[in-house]
Amino acid sequence: MRRKLAGDAPASASAGGGSAPSEADLAQLSTAISAGEDLGPFVRRAFACGRPEPLLSSLRAVARDRESEIEELCRAHFHDFIRAVDDLRSLLADAEVLKGSLSASHSALLSSSAPLLASLESFLAARALAGNLSSALASSHRCVRLLALAARANDHLQAGNHSLYLALRAVDAIDLNLASRPDPLPLPALRRMLLSLVPAVRVHAEREISREFADWMVSIRAASRHLGQVAIGRSAAARQRQEELRSKHRPLEESITLDDDGAGDLDDFAAATATSDGSDGAAAASFDLTQLYRAMHIHQTLALGERFKKYYLENRKLQLTSDFDVIAATPFLESHQVFFAQIAGFFIVEDRVFRTGGGLTSRVDVDALWEAALGKMISVLEDNFSRMQTANHLLLITDYAALLAATMRRYSYPVGMLLDVLAKHRDKYHDLLLADCRRQVAEALAADKFDQMLMRKEYEYSMNVLAFGIQSSDITPAFPYVAPFSCTVPDICRIVRSFIEDSVSFMAHGGGGDTYAAVKKYLGRILSEVVNASIQKLVDSGSGLSVSQAMQVAANMSIMERACEFFTRHAAQLCGVPLRAVERGRRDFPLRKSRDAAEALLLRLLCSKVDEFMRQSDGVNWIADDPPAGGNEYANEVTIYLETLTSTAQQILPLPVLRRVLVAVLVHISERIIALFLNDSVKRFSASAVIGIDTDLKMFESFAENMSSLFLDSHQDSAASEMKSALVEPRQLVNLLMSNSPENFLNPVIREKSYNKLDYKKVAIISEKFRDTSESYFSTFGTRGARQNPKKKSLDTLIKRLREAS
């Protein structure tokens, strides 16, 4: 058959006018048919070439080959095929039987299942109805629940802002129900209504809570001032309690040495004070933040928490800035308490918000606000302190600022920079305070008549003497009592005591550093720069003071020496320093210059008074033949004056002062007596004049002897010897002039023993004046009868030798 197909191909090709397919094409086609592949490519190629006949002939050849193969196969399996056909016929018969059986069974089944089908249809209808009812009930329940939530939200909205959170919870439940369920509500109108309700309620809640927050911001600003005043007031009360406790513990500190038990007591005292301060701070911080926390919670519920935090912080910054303007309309002295109280209240609120606000504010935010407030307070204080000229005003502001610092420290705010500003102006404060004290001391000195102060009642004694520890005895005197000082002393003591208390108040509460060291420094300044300088100015000017007034000034200075010890003890007690430490650190008398000046003034006036009496010596007869009976008149008056003065001075002047004054007066009298001999107006003098001077000296020496006994009774032996030696020079001069051998002055041994205070030149001048041509001139001291008196010869020898020596 292949040969036949191959033979037909050329005929077809020649008939079609095309070339016969090649052997390769036929082999490919045969292979494709055997493999059951798609013959489409061969067909498309044949038609594309416009020669399908060769392909058709090839296909026919293939078909014939397959037919012949089928025939051969059929002949090989003929018997099997016959058996299969028989089996099929038998099977068809069985199938017919089965088909009849099935038809009968079907008919029976149909007849028996008709009622069941009717029941099934009823059941399906009922089940569909039940499903519809369940769906309707679920939808109804959902709608009812949504409507109940809407009603609840409405009720909460009507109940007020305290129920806004509950309203938002209800609205959130509605929103969650609508968003989480895939099936829509059966009522589109209800869905639209609920969808519009949710944002409306949220907007309303935000608006209402914002309004409430704004009201809270206004109310908390008004409350902050009162809150700050209460907190600062409690700090002041706590400070007062500490001072009272310290004053109660001070005797114990003075009487015991701080061992372990004592230290424990002091620690317990400090701990109790700290506990008291803490409880006061907690009480001062009791205020309502409910509205703030409600606003924060609502905003967090609305997912606006961060925006609310920023809004809160910005508004608080604006409030703090507006709080700074409190001092703009009124003077700082009048508004500083309101200014500081407003700031204190502001940061007490911020501290509570930071600790309980759940992250509403951070430590960084609070610290930034505090730094801004601290910078403003520092600049305001610097500006006002620089223009302030009154110490009391500066102390008032400093004290309140220190209380503010103490209050803020309890809330853990750093206040070091504020205290540094207060400490930096302590010199200016004390300068102003010193200026006030200088004016007060000057007024006290100007008003004093420098008479002894009379006290009629015991309370006057307590107020003017005991209060400053200037009593000379612990025994209360009888009244009326005449004090050894004038009214200036208690006045100045009151001024200095007030200065100490003001200084301690400033240093303890705002001055910083070692309080006692600073107070002691400024105490030294007021004593030296104010009291000492004012008294010295009074003394130097004289101001028409009499001898008694100058004596009173000198007596005042001795009392002031005891007062200075009181000042030191008082400062130590106020600063809590043990007195034993003060006793160890005593210094020299700070009013030494004014004391010396007062004594110098008294001495100057006394010498002036003595000079007035001594001027009466111009009436002395220097060439009298007979000595004056009882001495010269000036000596009597000087002696009476000194005795009268001494009797008064003993009552008010300390004996050392009286000793120094009397010694100086006697030295002055001594110099004046020598000056009488050296006076140019005295050309010559007689032995009678020398005898009169000798009588005068004896009166002065008797006065000195009496005074020496007074000082001996007071155990001042050196003072007695000073009194006796004050008149040595005129005594030696008179002894020389009355000596039988004046030339013995030239003997070094005798001169050192009897005339060691005399000066060569003065002796020469005075000896020149002590001459007389009459022998009787010298006969007063010796025997008569010699042609040339040896005394005159001795005097001439002395004069000659002194001339040669000069």
Side-chain angles (χ1 to χ4, degrees):
M1 187 171 71
R2 289 178 180 174
R3 291 192 301 267
K4 184 177 180 179
L5 179 59
D8 290 341
S12 299
S14 60
S19 62
S22 63
E23 290 292 335
D25 292 336
L26 292 177
Q28 290 179 359
L29 180 61
S30 177
T31 302
I33 292 172
S34 299
E37 294 179 0
D38 185 16
L39 300 180
F42 295 96
V43 175
R44 283 192 295 272
R45 186 192 308 167
F47 281 96
C49 295
R51 296 187 300 273
E53 291 80 3
L55 177 61
L56 291 175
S57 60
S58 297
L59 291 174
R60 290 190 187 98
V62 171
R64 284 193 296 271
D65 289 341
R66 294 291 185 268
E67 288 176 358
S68 61
E69 291 176 358
I70 290 170
E71 288 177 357
E72 291 177 0
L73 183 63
C74 287
R75 281 195 297 272
H77 298 282
F78 175 74
H79 296 288
D80 295 333
F81 180 73
I82 293 299
R83 285 195 297 270
V85 171
D86 291 339
D87 291 339
L88 180 60
R89 288 177 179 175
S90 174
L91 183 61
L92 288 175
D94 293 339
E96 286 297 332
V97 175
L98 181 59
K99 181 177 179 182
S101 176
L102 288 174
S103 177
S105 296
H106 178 65
S107 299
L109 182 60
L110 288 177
S111 62
S112 62
S113 62
L116 294 176
L117 290 175
S119 298
L120 178 60
E121 290 177 357
S122 300
F123 169 73
L124 293 175
R127 190 173 66 176
L129 179 61
N132 292 334
L133 289 175
S134 298
S135 178
L137 286 174
S139 298
S140 299
H141 289 161
R142 183 181 178 189
C143 292
V144 169
R145 184 172 180 277
L146 292 174
L147 289 174
L149 290 173
R152 188 186 308 166
N154 187 52
D155 293 339
H156 290 320
L157 292 175
Q158 292 179 352
N161 290 345
H162 62 277
S163 299
L164 281 177
Y165 175 71
L166 298 177
L168 288 176
R169 289 288 300 273
V171 168
D172 288 343
I174 294 174
D175 189 25
L176 181 63
N177 190 293
L178 293 176
S180 61
R181 298 284 291 273
D183 53 323
L185 283 176
L187 299 177
L190 178 60
R191 179 179 176 81
R192 288 193 302 270
M193 184 271 290
L194 293 177
L195 289 176
S196 63
L197 173 67
V198 171
V201 171
R202 288 175 176 170
V203 170
H204 174 76
E206 182 183 0
R207 183 171 59 251
E208 289 298 320
I209 203 63
S210 297
R211 183 183 297 113
E212 181 182 278
F213 174 71
D215 294 339
W216 178 84
M217 290 289 287
V218 174
S219 64
I220 200 63
R221 184 186 181 192
S224 294
R225 179 180 303 178
H226 174 70
L227 180 63
Q229 290 172 343
V230 171
I232 294 176
R234 288 179 173 170
S235 295
R239 185 174 71 184
Q240 181 65 29
R241 287 195 301 273
Q242 290 180 21
E243 293 176 353
E244 292 174 356
L245 289 173
R246 188 179 295 114
S247 64
K248 292 179 181 179
H249 282 72
R250 189 173 294 123
L252 179 63
E253 295 175 359
E254 293 297 330
S255 60
I256 65 171
T257 302
L258 284 180
D259 55 5
D260 294 339
D261 296 336
D265 292 339
L266 295 178
D267 292 341
D268 294 341
F269 161 67
T273 303
T275 304
S276 174
D277 288 346
S279 61
D280 286 342
S286 57
F287 49 89
D288 188 14
L289 296 177
T290 304
Q291 293 174 313
L292 172 65
Y293 296 155
R294 183 186 300 127
M296 180 185 71
H297 197 43
I298 294 299
H299 280 84
Q300 289 176 343
T301 304
L302 295 173
L304 301 174
E306 292 300 322
R307 191 178 78 175
F308 178 73
K309 291 180 182 179
K310 294 180 181 179
Y311 179 72
Y312 171 80
L313 187 59
E314 291 173 357
N315 277 271
R316 290 296 280 172
K317 287 180 180 178
L318 293 175
Q319 277 195 351
L320 182 60
T321 303
S322 63
D323 289 342
F324 294 155
D325 298 333
V326 171
I327 58 175
T330 56
F332 186 67
L333 182 63
E334 300 176 8
S335 60
H336 73 279
Q337 293 189 359
V338 174
F339 175 69
F340 289 135
Q342 191 74 46
I343 292 177
F346 180 93
F347 285 99
I348 290 172
V349 172
E350 283 304 309
D351 179 75
R352 176 59 64 85
V353 171
F354 169 71
R355 296 179 186 279
T356 63
L360 178 58
T361 58
S362 65
R363 172 54 65 185
V364 175
D365 297 332
V366 178
D367 288 346
L369 290 173
W370 175 246
E371 289 177 3
L374 193 61
K376 180 65 176 180
M377 288 189 290
I378 290 174
S379 65
V380 169
L381 288 173
E382 291 276 7
D383 178 61
N384 285 276
F385 282 169
S386 64
R387 293 184 283 106
M388 201 161 288
Q389 299 300 324
T390 304
N392 287 338
H393 294 171
L394 198 148
L395 177 61
L396 184 66
I397 294 173
T398 299
D399 183 65
Y400 207 79
L403 288 175
L404 168 71
T407 303
M408 293 295 97
R409 186 186 288 114
R410 290 209 305 270
Y411 292 94
S412 302
Y413 289 104
V415 294
M417 295 177 63
L418 181 61
L419 294 177
D420 290 343
V421 172
L422 301 182
K424 186 173 70 174
H425 289 83
R426 70 181 185 183
D427 284 338
K428 176 171 183 178
Y429 166 74
H430 284 91
D431 289 340
L432 295 175
L433 198 59
L434 288 172
D436 290 343
C437 293
R438 186 177 292 108
R439 175 183 54 79
Q440 296 173 17
V441 170
E443 292 175 353
L445 291 173
D448 193 5
K449 296 180 180 179
F450 295 103
D451 295 328
Q452 288 180 261
M453 190 173 183
L454 178 63
M455 303 177 196
R456 301 183 182 277
K457 301 292 182 181
E458 185 175 356
Y459 78 88
E460 295 179 356
Y461 181 78
S462 299
M463 181 175 62
N464 295 299
V465 179
L466 298 179
F468 308 111
I470 55 178
Q471 68 274 13
S472 58
S473 173
D474 293 335
I475 302 174
T476 303
F479 297 97
Y481 168 69
V482 180
F485 52 82
S486 66
C487 62
T488 295
V489 172
D491 289 343
I492 292 179
C493 288
R494 272 186 281 272
I495 294 170
V496 176
R497 182 179 63 183
S498 177
F499 174 87
I500 293 171
E501 292 169 353
D502 290 342
S503 179
V504 170
S505 178
F506 183 92
M507 295 301 304
H509 306 143
D514 186 354
T515 300
Y516 177 66
V519 171
K520 186 169 63 173
K521 165 190 169 185
Y522 291 114
L523 174 60
R525 285 190 61 186
I526 188 175
L527 292 177
S528 61
E529 298 178 14
V530 177
V531 178
N532 187 70
S534 299
I535 296 176
Q536 192 167 1
K537 181 179 179 182
L538 171 73
V539 171
D540 293 341
S541 64
S543 300
L545 294 177
S546 63
V547 174
S548 62
Q549 290 176 325
M551 186 184 302
Q552 188 62 67
V553 173
N556 289 348
M557 297 310 300
S558 64
I559 303 299
M560 287 301 299
E561 189 166 1
R562 292 202 296 267
C564 288
E565 297 178 0
F566 162 77
F567 298 148
T568 304
R569 292 195 306 270
H570 187 57
Q573 288 177 348
L574 293 179
C575 296
V577 176
L579 292 181
R580 58 180 178 274
V582 177
E583 296 294 332
R584 290 195 300 267
R586 281 187 175 179
R587 299 185 302 173
D588 294 336
F589 181 43
L591 306 181
R592 180 183 297 276
K593 291 184 179 179
S594 57
R595 181 191 65 186
D596 295 344
E599 293 180 11
L601 173 64
L602 175 59
L603 179 60
R604 189 166 60 249
L605 293 176
L606 283 175
C607 292
S608 177
K609 193 69 175 177
V610 169
D611 289 343
E612 291 181 10
F613 293 121
M614 296 287 282
R615 290 191 190 99
Q616 297 179 11
S617 64
D618 296 340
V620 175
N621 189 353
W622 290 98
I623 57 175
D625 294 334
D626 297 320
N632 293 297
E633 183 180 355
Y634 79 90
N636 291 318
E637 293 184 358
V638 169
T639 304
I640 294 172
Y641 177 74
L642 290 178
E643 289 175 348
T644 305
L645 180 72
T646 303
S647 64
T648 304
Q650 291 178 22
Q651 301 175 9
I652 62 175
L653 281 180
L655 288 179
V657 178
L658 179 59
R659 172 184 60 81
R660 290 194 296 269
V661 171
L662 290 179
V663 169
V665 170
L666 291 176
V667 169
H668 180 72
I669 292 174
S670 174
E671 294 172 351
R672 289 291 297 164
I673 291 175
I674 298 296
L676 289 178
F677 288 104
L678 296 173
N679 196 331
D680 293 338
S681 63
V682 179
K683 302 300 182 181
R684 56 185 300 183
F685 56 87
S686 64
S688 298
V690 174
I691 293 174
I693 296 298
D694 178 62
T695 305
D696 297 342
L697 277 174
K698 289 179 180 178
M699 285 190 288
F700 294 139
E701 288 170 345
S702 175
F703 170 77
E705 186 69 23
N706 294 334
M707 291 298 101
S708 297
S709 63
L710 172 66
F711 295 122
L712 285 173
D713 294 340
S714 62
H715 307 288
Q716 298 188 40
D717 298 339
S718 61
S721 62
E722 285 181 2
M723 295 285 291
K724 293 178 181 179
S725 63
L727 299 169
V728 169
E729 184 179 7
R731 169 49 61 196
Q732 291 181 357
L733 177 62
V734 170
N735 290 343
L736 176 64
L737 295 177
M738 296 176 65
S739 171
N740 290 329
S741 301
E743 65 178 332
N744 289 339
F745 178 77
L746 300 175
N747 188 323
V749 176
I750 297 176
R751 185 175 67 248
E752 182 63 27
K753 180 179 179 180
S754 302
Y755 308 113
N756 58 341
K757 298 297 182 182
L758 296 180
D759 180 69
Y760 271 81
K761 294 182 179 180
K762 292 180 181 180
V763 172
I765 295 172
I766 295 173
S767 297
E768 288 282 353
K769 296 181 181 182
F770 189 49
R771 302 182 110 186
D772 199 299
T773 56
S774 168
E775 291 185 0
S776 62
Y777 180 79
F778 293 94
S779 63
T780 308
F781 308 113
T783 59
R784 299 178 179 269
R787 180 183 293 265
Q788 186 178 6
N789 193 309
K791 298 175 184 176
K792 182 178 185 303
K793 182 179 178 181
S794 176
L795 181 61
D796 291 339
T797 303
L798 173 64
I799 293 172
K800 180 181 178 182
R801 296 283 297 275
L802 290 176
R803 285 178 182 173
E804 293 174 356
S806 61

